[in-house]
Amino acid sequence: MGHDKTRSDVSVGNVDWEDPRLTSLLSKIDGWNIDNRNHVRPQEVLIRVTCGWSASDASKPALLISEADGVMVLGTYFPLPHGEEVQVQRQNGAEVRTCRGVVVEEREGHRAEDREQHIYLNWLRIRSS
């Protein structure tokens, strides 16, 4: 059973919204954007669009930012088209692992380092082999 957030008998206390310490704290987080990246260093991978209008035989470099629950987040230096099937190759020791996924969401990176490097973030739903 989940937590009932509508209960009126629960109080978090009084908040003084004019308190300069609170104002200072809130100003530090102004403009933050949460994009659910883990803290693992991005892994260099090669990608190739395999189906659709953008299909190509050429592999291009990308960054594997995270992978969890059947979803892979890739950082690319160009936008991947929504709905395209992408092949991802990554080095795992001496062997190369390959998987395929479909682009389900894409956008420009919001972080300063993303903007400096012109990184696009792409969410791929991994297809089972």
Side-chain angles (χ1 to χ4, degrees), residues 48-59:
R48 185 169 61 89
V49 176
T50 58
C51 291
W53 292 102
S54 303
S56 169
D57 287 334
S59 294

Side-chain angles (χ1 to χ4, degrees), residues 6 14 18 20 22 34 39 49 52 57 66 68 70 86 101 103 114-115 122 129:
T6 63
N14 294 325
E18 303 303 319
L22 181 59
I34 299 174
H39 298 289
V49 176
D57 287 334
S66 71
V86 178
V103 179
D114 292 344
R115 282 188 247 130
N122 307 274
S129 302

